[in-house]
Each structure stands twice: as structure tokens, then as C-alpha cells.
Amino acid sequence: MMSKIIDGKVVAKKVLAECGQEIESLKAAGVTPGLAVVLVGNDPASMVYVASKVRKCAELGLHSRKIELPEDATHQEVLDVVLALNADTSIHGILVQSPPPPQIDEGAIVRAIDPAKDVDGFHPENVAKLALEDASGFVPCTPAGCMRLLKDAGVETSGAEAVVIGRSMIVGKPMALLLMSKEGNATVTVAHSRTKDLAAVCRRADIIVAAIGMPGFVTADMVKEGAAVIDVGINRVEDSSAKRGYRLVGDVAYDEVAPKCSAITPVPGGVGPMTIAMLISNTIKAAKQSHE
Amino acid sequence: MMSKIIDGKVVAKKVLAECGQEIESLKAAGVTPGLAVVLVGNDPASMVYVASKVRKCAELGLHSRKIELPEDATHQEVLDVVLALNADTSIHGILVQSPPPPQIDEGAIVRAIDPAKDVDGFHPENVAKLALEDASGFVPCTPAGCMRLLKDAGVETSGAEAVVIGRSMIVGKPMALLLMSKEGNATVTVAHSRTKDLAAVCRRADIIVAAIGMPGFVTADMVKEGAAVIDVGINRVEDSSAKRGYRLVGDVAYDEVAPKCSAITPVPGGVGPMTIAMLISNTIKAAKQSHE
């Protein structure tokens, strides 16, 4: 079967173009959406992520602020930064890059963010809104990006059997809640490490969302002919032939799975590029809602 | 196959006996757990429910308060009652009987209840705690009762395939979240009105939880031999031979399904009696947590 490769870069560009138009209208109305990104410490991966978020804001004409705190910042110092940003009317979205150093209670920091500025969608109030299907909340960026990829690829979720592999609050559970909502209307199964015959469970699926963080976990025998496969995994595997000594692979054994699929996301270039796009989209939503 | 009939009255009595012991210890420590039940209007079914909740509190030596407001009470009046109960240290649990008359914004009332006193488990903060597997929250009484019935009947959820029929926030979604949690460890599918081949989906299940509100919806052909079946439905069907002109039936066609099951809850006498027991249990938990 000819499988459609879902190009996350193209869809992300489309989302960002929509965002660009909204930014123009907001600016015309005197509002410049603002995103604050808080980085504690100097984890190299986090530094790269934060830099790319700030760069994307600049490209789009969004106001952004990067706040860097040293590796040994106290919990109170981080909290104070968040509280100041909550009070700052030029800032509509606040993101504290994960993971912070161990002396920071990340859960407490997330709960301290004003839910109306919680563009990551991890505050309990937004978690509840997702479960309650209250559209005023913020949906976590990665599952929101997956839904958008499915939509853009023309994959019908209504009535489909969807299997989500993984039950984290970052991806698995919100993804399941989105798919089973009145908007998604899929019949959703959440599979995980304790699932007995995971291959058989996956073979039932019209849509598979893999979010387990294990390279090449989903193999061809686990995929029904014609299924759509969304690969959330981004795993580093050693590769001496690669410039950096490693390469990025997903949770899906792409080469063997792709030929069976109706549609599939590659890694990299699938779900990855969507995350920043959905973050920008959430920031615009926050700016809009703050001026309603 | 000999199916085990899960007697909800027996399990509820056991839960209440455990509660009785906890009430004694709390009283010895100078704390009498208190439950406030707010009833707006005079819906006959609501009046019966409220009366039985208050009666159960009295039986167990719990402090309870029934607050009755007239059918034409304003939203603000109900809100004021809730706010006063939030501030009342003799009250640990607050329940506003559902459904209130239409002039009351039920969602706003639920959000006004102090989450630490929300023994119904419907406040967004408790919804989020359930999703986040934070054990300090309150789990809605009906799904909590279903979990307890499964446990007491010796039904292993870990690794089991569970199908929840219905996706409401009162039963379906919290039930799914409990079953898929680290404690439940089941592979959970949420099926609903848009599910394509619901019979086939149900036949996969080791555990079926039916919560759709349609009398006799789950028929024998939908149940795998040896499955455990929890019937949350309580539907009135006309029956001229019954004293009241109707009888109560579940969402499961009991007579034809029971012979195929390893275990099944009857209606009435299955899930029903558990609801009050879990409400009392939640009230005790609230009283304990308030004095920690």
C-alpha cells in the first residue's frame, strides 16, 4: 500500500501561518501576544529547545522574554519569577522548561502558573478542562499537535478504533481524552507496559499513537494494514556514522511499518515540529482570551 | 459457567463497617466528621436520595446537616449556602444534590465548593487529581464503588482488558482513569454511542463496566465467556405488575448475560448501595485530611 508520509514541517508551517494572521489582527487591536520562557540551569537539550521557542516568537513578531536562572536557583526564586510573570500584563503565556534541577518542585511551579497563562496545558485546571471538554482550557502541545496532524492528513477519527500506547499526563492520557471527546469520537484504548498482548491490541487499531519512549517499539506485526500511525517518540540511539554520534528515532520501526500504513509520521519531522507551533497557537489563544 | 453475583449490599456494609471504625478513632481524637447535603427544590427522587444519605450519617454517628432551599431559590442563594459551608469547620464534606432547578448554574456551584470538601469528586481540582493519580483527591462515588466491587469480588484488573461503555464525567471517564492508573493497570477501552462495532469491542473485554443509561443494552452476544460485568445503569421500565408501576433494571440484560459471566452485579443491589458507602468514606477522608 502507498502510505502517505505526514510531513510535520508542512503542517506546522500552516499552523504558524494561521497564527501569523491572528497576530496581525491582535496587533491591529493593540495587543501583542507575549510568551515568557523560564529556563533554570544549563541542560544542553533544554537550552536548545528554549532558544528555538524564542527564535520562533521573534520570526512571528510575538513578544517573548527569556528568563534564565542559574543551576542552583532555589525553588522560591523560580516561584517568584512565575508570580511576577503572572502579574505582568505584557505576558500571556508562561512556560517553565522541563525538567528543572532537582531542588525545584516542578509540580508546585506548574500549579503556581496562572491557569489562563498556562500554555503548556499542565496546570490542574487545564487538565480538568480537557477531561470536562471545556474548550476554554489549554491542551498540552504534543497531543494537540497529533490531533492536528491527523486532521490535516484527512484521517477520520470519528468511529475509528484508536490505540494510544503510553499513559503519561504529557501525552498518553490527554491524547486519549482528545480522541474520545465529542470532537474526536474515536473508540480509544490506552495500552501500556502492563498490557498483556500489546501486539494484538495494536493490530485492532485504525489509528496508533505511540508515546512510550522506546526506539522502534512498534513493529510491522503490530500494525493493521491501512492503519494511520503517529509516532511521538524521539529517542537517541548511538550511531557512529552520524556526525553527532547518535541519530533520532521514533517509537515506531519506520522502515518496516510505513509500507503497511495509510499514513505515518516520520521521526524527525513528524510530531516534533508541531510542538512549537501548538505552543505559539496556545499563546495567541491566551492573548485573545485575556482581552475578551 | 457458575457466575458469582456481586452483592453490593454486602460490600457496602463492609465499607461502612470500616468507616465506623475510622469514625470512632476520629471521635476519640476529638473530630466528628460532618457532611452537609444541600437540596434545592422538591424533586421526588432527589428527596429520597438526600433522606437516605442523611439517615446513613445518623446510623454511623456522623454529623450531618440537611439544607433545603425552595424550588425558586436563586443561584446566589445556593452559592451563599455553599460559601458558608466552606467556612464551617464542623462540615468536612459538601454535596449539592443533582440536578438542581434550571436557574442554578450547577457547574459554577461545583466550582465554588472547597475542593477539600468536595466529597462528590466533581470539582475540577479533584478531576485533575484523578487524572494525575494524586491520591489526595476525591474520586467520584460511583466509579470508586465499582473499583471496590471488583476488588472485593477478586477480579484482577491488572493486565485485564476492560471496556467502559459511556464517557460521562460522572462515571465513564473517571472509571476509565481508575482502571488505567498504576493501581488499576488494566488495558482500557472507552466505548460510546459512536463506537462502530460495539458488540465486538465488548466481546474483547475481561471486565465490562456498563454506564450508558439504556435498559438491557448489553446482551449475551456482547459478553465473552467468563467476563466480569459491572452494571452502573439504573433505569425505570414500566411494569404494571409492579406495585409502583415500574421496576428498576440495569444497562445489562441480566438474565441472559449472567450465565456467561464469572461475576456480575445485579440491579438493584449491585453498584447502587456502594454510592452512599463511598460518599461516607470520602467524608471521613476529608475529615482526616482537614486535621492532618
PDB file of all heavy atoms in Angstrom, chain A residues 78-109:
ATOM      1  N   VAL A  78      12.474  30.551  41.647  1.00  0.00           N
ATOM      2  CA  VAL A  78      11.708  30.207  40.438  1.00  0.00           C
ATOM      3  C   VAL A  78      10.247  30.615  40.618  1.00  0.00           C
ATOM      4  O   VAL A  78       9.616  31.203  39.730  1.00  0.00           O
ATOM      5  CB  VAL A  78      11.828  28.700  40.122  1.00  0.00           C
ATOM      6  CG1 VAL A  78      11.029  28.348  38.872  1.00  0.00           C
ATOM      7  CG2 VAL A  78      13.292  28.294  39.946  1.00  0.00           C
ATOM      8  N   LEU A  79       9.726  30.314  41.810  1.00  0.00           N
ATOM      9  CA  LEU A  79       8.343  30.666  42.131  1.00  0.00           C
ATOM     10  C   LEU A  79       8.122  32.174  41.989  1.00  0.00           C
ATOM     11  O   LEU A  79       7.121  32.622  41.410  1.00  0.00           O
ATOM     12  CB  LEU A  79       8.034  30.210  43.562  1.00  0.00           C
ATOM     13  CG  LEU A  79       6.575  30.147  43.981  1.00  0.00           C
ATOM     14  CD1 LEU A  79       5.796  29.190  43.092  1.00  0.00           C
ATOM     15  CD2 LEU A  79       6.474  29.696  45.438  1.00  0.00           C
ATOM     16  N   ASP A  80       9.063  32.954  42.505  1.00  0.00           N
ATOM     17  CA  ASP A  80       8.930  34.409  42.428  1.00  0.00           C
ATOM     18  C   ASP A  80       8.895  34.902  40.982  1.00  0.00           C
ATOM     19  O   ASP A  80       8.151  35.825  40.649  1.00  0.00           O
ATOM     20  CB  ASP A  80      10.082  35.082  43.195  1.00  0.00           C
ATOM     21  CG  ASP A  80       9.933  34.920  44.709  1.00  0.00           C
ATOM     22  OD1 ASP A  80       8.806  34.601  45.156  1.00  0.00           O
ATOM     23  OD2 ASP A  80      10.928  35.095  45.437  1.00  0.00           O
ATOM     24  N   VAL A  81       9.716  34.268  40.141  1.00  0.00           N
ATOM     25  CA  VAL A  81       9.708  34.637  38.718  1.00  0.00           C
ATOM     26  C   VAL A  81       8.331  34.365  38.121  1.00  0.00           C
ATOM     27  O   VAL A  81       7.755  35.200  37.407  1.00  0.00           O
ATOM     28  CB  VAL A  81      10.809  33.846  37.958  1.00  0.00           C
ATOM     29  CG1 VAL A  81      10.599  33.926  36.451  1.00  0.00           C
ATOM     30  CG2 VAL A  81      12.191  34.371  38.339  1.00  0.00           C
ATOM     31  N   VAL A  82       7.774  33.188  38.435  1.00  0.00           N
ATOM     32  CA  VAL A  82       6.461  32.817  37.900  1.00  0.00           C
ATOM     33  C   VAL A  82       5.393  33.793  38.380  1.00  0.00           C
ATOM     34  O   VAL A  82       4.559  34.272  37.599  1.00  0.00           O
ATOM     35  CB  VAL A  82       6.103  31.365  38.291  1.00  0.00           C
ATOM     36  CG1 VAL A  82       4.625  31.080  38.043  1.00  0.00           C
ATOM     37  CG2 VAL A  82       6.977  30.379  37.514  1.00  0.00           C
ATOM     38  N   LEU A  83       5.438  34.145  39.664  1.00  0.00           N
ATOM     39  CA  LEU A  83       4.425  35.045  40.210  1.00  0.00           C
ATOM     40  C   LEU A  83       4.518  36.437  39.570  1.00  0.00           C
ATOM     41  O   LEU A  83       3.498  37.061  39.276  1.00  0.00           O
ATOM     42  CB  LEU A  83       4.554  35.129  41.736  1.00  0.00           C
ATOM     43  CG  LEU A  83       4.305  33.788  42.462  1.00  0.00           C
ATOM     44  CD1 LEU A  83       4.487  33.947  43.968  1.00  0.00           C
ATOM     45  CD2 LEU A  83       2.928  33.219  42.151  1.00  0.00           C
ATOM     46  N   ALA A  84       5.748  36.876  39.309  1.00  0.00           N
ATOM     47  CA  ALA A  84       5.930  38.172  38.642  1.00  0.00           C
ATOM     48  C   ALA A  84       5.361  38.121  37.220  1.00  0.00           C
ATOM     49  O   ALA A  84       4.720  39.063  36.754  1.00  0.00           O
ATOM     50  CB  ALA A  84       7.402  38.557  38.629  1.00  0.00           C
ATOM     51  N   LEU A  85       5.577  36.985  36.542  1.00  0.00           N
ATOM     52  CA  LEU A  85       5.062  36.844  35.171  1.00  0.00           C
ATOM     53  C   LEU A  85       3.533  36.762  35.173  1.00  0.00           C
ATOM     54  O   LEU A  85       2.878  37.270  34.260  1.00  0.00           O
ATOM     55  CB  LEU A  85       5.671  35.604  34.497  1.00  0.00           C
ATOM     56  CG  LEU A  85       7.172  35.689  34.200  1.00  0.00           C
ATOM     57  CD1 LEU A  85       7.717  34.320  33.799  1.00  0.00           C
ATOM     58  CD2 LEU A  85       7.450  36.725  33.098  1.00  0.00           C
ATOM     59  N   ASN A  86       2.975  36.104  36.192  1.00  0.00           N
ATOM     60  CA  ASN A  86       1.506  36.061  36.317  1.00  0.00           C
ATOM     61  C   ASN A  86       0.937  37.482  36.342  1.00  0.00           C
ATOM     62  O   ASN A  86      -0.114  37.758  35.773  1.00  0.00           O
ATOM     63  CB  ASN A  86       1.086  35.364  37.621  1.00  0.00           C
ATOM     64  CG  ASN A  86       1.190  33.851  37.538  1.00  0.00           C
ATOM     65  OD1 ASN A  86       1.364  33.285  36.452  1.00  0.00           O
ATOM     66  ND2 ASN A  86       1.080  33.187  38.686  1.00  0.00           N
ATOM     67  N   ALA A  87       1.663  38.383  37.023  1.00  0.00           N
ATOM     68  CA  ALA A  87       1.166  39.743  37.224  1.00  0.00           C
ATOM     69  C   ALA A  87       1.479  40.654  36.035  1.00  0.00           C
ATOM     70  O   ALA A  87       0.946  41.765  35.944  1.00  0.00           O
ATOM     71  CB  ALA A  87       1.779  40.323  38.498  1.00  0.00           C
ATOM     72  N   ASP A  88       2.328  40.200  35.125  1.00  0.00           N
ATOM     73  CA  ASP A  88       2.800  41.034  34.018  1.00  0.00           C
ATOM     74  C   ASP A  88       1.802  40.988  32.857  1.00  0.00           C
ATOM     75  O   ASP A  88       1.634  39.958  32.199  1.00  0.00           O
ATOM     76  CB  ASP A  88       4.170  40.509  33.571  1.00  0.00           C
ATOM     77  CG  ASP A  88       4.820  41.385  32.525  1.00  0.00           C
ATOM     78  OD1 ASP A  88       4.092  42.101  31.796  1.00  0.00           O
ATOM     79  OD2 ASP A  88       6.057  41.360  32.420  1.00  0.00           O
ATOM     80  N   THR A  89       1.155  42.116  32.577  1.00  0.00           N
ATOM     81  CA  THR A  89       0.104  42.111  31.547  1.00  0.00           C
ATOM     82  C   THR A  89       0.655  42.009  30.125  1.00  0.00           C
ATOM     83  O   THR A  89      -0.105  41.754  29.198  1.00  0.00           O
ATOM     84  CB  THR A  89      -0.765  43.383  31.650  1.00  0.00           C
ATOM     85  OG1 THR A  89       0.093  44.522  31.604  1.00  0.00           O
ATOM     86  CG2 THR A  89      -1.570  43.391  32.941  1.00  0.00           C
ATOM     87  N   SER A  90       1.975  42.195  29.942  1.00  0.00           N
ATOM     88  CA  SER A  90       2.535  42.045  28.586  1.00  0.00           C
ATOM     89  C   SER A  90       2.808  40.574  28.257  1.00  0.00           C
ATOM     90  O   SER A  90       3.154  40.240  27.129  1.00  0.00           O
ATOM     91  CB  SER A  90       3.819  42.864  28.444  1.00  0.00           C
ATOM     92  OG  SER A  90       4.889  42.217  29.111  1.00  0.00           O
ATOM     93  N   ILE A  91       2.667  39.717  29.257  1.00  0.00           N
ATOM     94  CA  ILE A  91       2.926  38.280  29.087  1.00  0.00           C
ATOM     95  C   ILE A  91       1.597  37.515  29.135  1.00  0.00           C
ATOM     96  O   ILE A  91       0.855  37.613  30.120  1.00  0.00           O
ATOM     97  CB  ILE A  91       3.881  37.767  30.191  1.00  0.00           C
ATOM     98  CG1 ILE A  91       5.276  38.403  30.052  1.00  0.00           C
ATOM     99  CG2 ILE A  91       3.982  36.238  30.177  1.00  0.00           C
ATOM    100  CD1 ILE A  91       5.997  38.091  28.742  1.00  0.00           C
ATOM    101  N   HIS A  92       1.314  36.738  28.074  1.00  0.00           N
ATOM    102  CA  HIS A  92       0.064  35.971  28.023  1.00  0.00           C
ATOM    103  C   HIS A  92       0.285  34.484  28.220  1.00  0.00           C
ATOM    104  O   HIS A  92      -0.638  33.760  28.586  1.00  0.00           O
ATOM    105  CB  HIS A  92      -0.643  36.213  26.692  1.00  0.00           C
ATOM    106  CG  HIS A  92      -0.888  37.667  26.436  1.00  0.00           C
ATOM    107  ND1 HIS A  92      -0.047  38.435  25.659  1.00  0.00           N
ATOM    108  CD2 HIS A  92      -1.849  38.497  26.914  1.00  0.00           C
ATOM    109  CE1 HIS A  92      -0.502  39.683  25.640  1.00  0.00           C
ATOM    110  NE2 HIS A  92      -1.574  39.751  26.398  1.00  0.00           N
ATOM    111  N   GLY A  93       1.512  34.042  27.942  1.00  0.00           N
ATOM    112  CA  GLY A  93       1.822  32.621  28.104  1.00  0.00           C
ATOM    113  C   GLY A  93       3.104  32.451  28.895  1.00  0.00           C
ATOM    114  O   GLY A  93       4.053  33.208  28.695  1.00  0.00           O
ATOM    115  N   ILE A  94       3.103  31.482  29.808  1.00  0.00           N
ATOM    116  CA  ILE A  94       4.296  31.225  30.629  1.00  0.00           C
ATOM    117  C   ILE A  94       4.655  29.752  30.492  1.00  0.00           C
ATOM    118  O   ILE A  94       3.792  28.882  30.624  1.00  0.00           O
ATOM    119  CB  ILE A  94       4.037  31.524  32.122  1.00  0.00           C
ATOM    120  CG1 ILE A  94       3.596  32.976  32.314  1.00  0.00           C
ATOM    121  CG2 ILE A  94       5.284  31.220  32.969  1.00  0.00           C
ATOM    122  CD1 ILE A  94       3.091  33.273  33.724  1.00  0.00           C
ATOM    123  N   LEU A  95       5.932  29.501  30.265  1.00  0.00           N
ATOM    124  CA  LEU A  95       6.392  28.131  30.129  1.00  0.00           C
ATOM    125  C   LEU A  95       7.664  27.973  30.956  1.00  0.00           C
ATOM    126  O   LEU A  95       8.582  28.785  30.813  1.00  0.00           O
ATOM    127  CB  LEU A  95       6.685  27.894  28.644  1.00  0.00           C
ATOM    128  CG  LEU A  95       7.186  26.556  28.173  1.00  0.00           C
ATOM    129  CD1 LEU A  95       6.764  26.381  26.725  1.00  0.00           C
ATOM    130  CD2 LEU A  95       8.689  26.441  28.281  1.00  0.00           C
ATOM    131  N   VAL A  96       7.700  27.018  31.827  1.00  0.00           N
ATOM    132  CA  VAL A  96       8.928  26.715  32.563  1.00  0.00           C
ATOM    133  C   VAL A  96       9.495  25.440  31.940  1.00  0.00           C
ATOM    134  O   VAL A  96       8.873  24.379  32.002  1.00  0.00           O
ATOM    135  CB  VAL A  96       8.657  26.536  34.069  1.00  0.00           C
ATOM    136  CG1 VAL A  96       9.956  26.224  34.811  1.00  0.00           C
ATOM    137  CG2 VAL A  96       8.006  27.793  34.652  1.00  0.00           C
ATOM    138  N   GLN A  97      10.656  25.580  31.309  1.00  0.00           N
ATOM    139  CA  GLN A  97      11.225  24.451  30.566  1.00  0.00           C
ATOM    140  C   GLN A  97      11.469  23.259  31.493  1.00  0.00           C
ATOM    141  O   GLN A  97      12.060  23.397  32.555  1.00  0.00           O
ATOM    142  CB  GLN A  97      12.522  24.883  29.874  1.00  0.00           C
ATOM    143  CG  GLN A  97      13.132  23.815  28.983  1.00  0.00           C
ATOM    144  CD  GLN A  97      12.240  23.427  27.809  1.00  0.00           C
ATOM    145  OE1 GLN A  97      11.630  24.263  27.160  1.00  0.00           O
ATOM    146  NE2 GLN A  97      12.134  22.132  27.558  1.00  0.00           N
ATOM    147  N   SER A  98      10.999  22.101  31.055  1.00  0.00           N
ATOM    148  CA  SER A  98      11.155  20.873  31.827  1.00  0.00           C
ATOM    149  C   SER A  98      12.334  20.077  31.289  1.00  0.00           C
ATOM    150  O   SER A  98      12.569  20.078  30.077  1.00  0.00           O
ATOM    151  CB  SER A  98       9.863  20.058  31.710  1.00  0.00           C
ATOM    152  OG  SER A  98       9.922  18.906  32.495  1.00  0.00           O
ATOM    153  N   PRO A  99      13.089  19.362  32.108  1.00  0.00           N
ATOM    154  CA  PRO A  99      12.975  19.283  33.573  1.00  0.00           C
ATOM    155  C   PRO A  99      13.857  20.323  34.267  1.00  0.00           C
ATOM    156  O   PRO A  99      14.975  20.562  33.817  1.00  0.00           O
ATOM    157  CB  PRO A  99      13.535  17.877  33.855  1.00  0.00           C
ATOM    158  CG  PRO A  99      14.562  17.656  32.764  1.00  0.00           C
ATOM    159  CD  PRO A  99      14.109  18.450  31.574  1.00  0.00           C
ATOM    160  N   PRO A 100      13.356  20.927  35.352  1.00  0.00           N
ATOM    161  CA  PRO A 100      14.224  21.825  36.116  1.00  0.00           C
ATOM    162  C   PRO A 100      15.156  20.999  37.006  1.00  0.00           C
ATOM    163  O   PRO A 100      14.939  19.798  37.173  1.00  0.00           O
ATOM    164  CB  PRO A 100      13.232  22.611  36.959  1.00  0.00           C
ATOM    165  CG  PRO A 100      12.073  21.689  37.153  1.00  0.00           C
ATOM    166  CD  PRO A 100      12.028  20.784  35.958  1.00  0.00           C
ATOM    167  N   PRO A 101      16.192  21.639  37.589  1.00  0.00           N
ATOM    168  CA  PRO A 101      17.072  20.906  38.507  1.00  0.00           C
ATOM    169  C   PRO A 101      16.274  20.328  39.691  1.00  0.00           C
ATOM    170  O   PRO A 101      15.179  20.818  39.980  1.00  0.00           O
ATOM    171  CB  PRO A 101      18.061  21.971  38.982  1.00  0.00           C
ATOM    172  CG  PRO A 101      17.974  23.083  38.005  1.00  0.00           C
ATOM    173  CD  PRO A 101      16.603  23.049  37.429  1.00  0.00           C
ATOM    174  N   PRO A 102      16.817  19.317  40.339  1.00  0.00           N
ATOM    175  CA  PRO A 102      16.046  18.557  41.343  1.00  0.00           C
ATOM    176  C   PRO A 102      15.580  19.350  42.564  1.00  0.00           C
ATOM    177  O   PRO A 102      14.610  18.943  43.206  1.00  0.00           O
ATOM    178  CB  PRO A 102      17.014  17.438  41.761  1.00  0.00           C
ATOM    179  CG  PRO A 102      18.358  17.856  41.299  1.00  0.00           C
ATOM    180  CD  PRO A 102      18.142  18.728  40.116  1.00  0.00           C
ATOM    181  N   GLN A 103      16.228  20.471  42.893  1.00  0.00           N
ATOM    182  CA  GLN A 103      15.767  21.221  44.076  1.00  0.00           C
ATOM    183  C   GLN A 103      14.457  21.974  43.806  1.00  0.00           C
ATOM    184  O   GLN A 103      13.849  22.517  44.725  1.00  0.00           O
ATOM    185  CB  GLN A 103      16.855  22.199  44.570  1.00  0.00           C
ATOM    186  CG  GLN A 103      17.058  23.452  43.732  1.00  0.00           C
ATOM    187  CD  GLN A 103      17.999  23.235  42.546  1.00  0.00           C
ATOM    188  OE1 GLN A 103      18.281  22.103  42.151  1.00  0.00           O
ATOM    189  NE2 GLN A 103      18.476  24.321  41.957  1.00  0.00           N
ATOM    190  N   ILE A 104      14.034  21.995  42.535  1.00  0.00           N
ATOM    191  CA  ILE A 104      12.793  22.694  42.178  1.00  0.00           C
ATOM    192  C   ILE A 104      11.639  21.684  42.198  1.00  0.00           C
ATOM    193  O   ILE A 104      11.718  20.629  41.585  1.00  0.00           O
ATOM    194  CB  ILE A 104      12.901  23.303  40.752  1.00  0.00           C
ATOM    195  CG1 ILE A 104      14.217  24.075  40.575  1.00  0.00           C
ATOM    196  CG2 ILE A 104      11.674  24.152  40.432  1.00  0.00           C
ATOM    197  CD1 ILE A 104      14.400  25.246  41.483  1.00  0.00           C
ATOM    198  N   ASP A 105      10.558  22.012  42.897  1.00  0.00           N
ATOM    199  CA  ASP A 105       9.357  21.174  42.905  1.00  0.00           C
ATOM    200  C   ASP A 105       8.529  21.558  41.673  1.00  0.00           C
ATOM    201  O   ASP A 105       7.753  22.514  41.695  1.00  0.00           O
ATOM    202  CB  ASP A 105       8.574  21.411  44.200  1.00  0.00           C
ATOM    203  CG  ASP A 105       7.272  20.620  44.250  1.00  0.00           C
ATOM    204  OD1 ASP A 105       6.851  20.058  43.209  1.00  0.00           O
ATOM    205  OD2 ASP A 105       6.660  20.575  45.338  1.00  0.00           O
ATOM    206  N   GLU A 106       8.731  20.798  40.592  1.00  0.00           N
ATOM    207  CA  GLU A 106       8.134  21.163  39.304  1.00  0.00           C
ATOM    208  C   GLU A 106       6.606  21.235  39.381  1.00  0.00           C
ATOM    209  O   GLU A 106       5.988  22.145  38.825  1.00  0.00           O
ATOM    210  CB  GLU A 106       8.576  20.159  38.227  1.00  0.00           C
ATOM    211  CG  GLU A 106       8.217  20.620  36.825  1.00  0.00           C
ATOM    212  CD  GLU A 106       8.777  19.704  35.729  1.00  0.00           C
ATOM    213  OE1 GLU A 106       9.286  18.611  36.055  1.00  0.00           O
ATOM    214  OE2 GLU A 106       8.683  20.094  34.551  1.00  0.00           O
ATOM    215  N   GLY A 107       6.001  20.286  40.098  1.00  0.00           N
ATOM    216  CA  GLY A 107       4.542  20.284  40.235  1.00  0.00           C
ATOM    217  C   GLY A 107       4.034  21.560  40.878  1.00  0.00           C
ATOM    218  O   GLY A 107       3.043  22.154  40.434  1.00  0.00           O
ATOM    219  N   ALA A 108       4.720  22.005  41.910  1.00  0.00           N
ATOM    220  CA  ALA A 108       4.312  23.226  42.607  1.00  0.00           C
ATOM    221  C   ALA A 108       4.474  24.440  41.698  1.00  0.00           C
ATOM    222  O   ALA A 108       3.657  25.369  41.734  1.00  0.00           O
ATOM    223  CB  ALA A 108       5.120  23.402  43.889  1.00  0.00           C
ATOM    224  N   ILE A 109       5.522  24.442  40.885  1.00  0.00           N
ATOM    225  CA  ILE A 109       5.730  25.559  39.948  1.00  0.00           C
ATOM    226  C   ILE A 109       4.592  25.594  38.929  1.00  0.00           C
ATOM    227  O   ILE A 109       4.018  26.646  38.649  1.00  0.00           O
ATOM    228  CB  ILE A 109       7.110  25.416  39.238  1.00  0.00           C
ATOM    229  CG1 ILE A 109       8.261  25.541  40.246  1.00  0.00           C
ATOM    230  CG2 ILE A 109       7.244  26.438  38.110  1.00  0.00           C
ATOM    231  CD1 ILE A 109       8.400  26.883  40.929  1.00  0.00           C
TER     232      ILE A 109
END
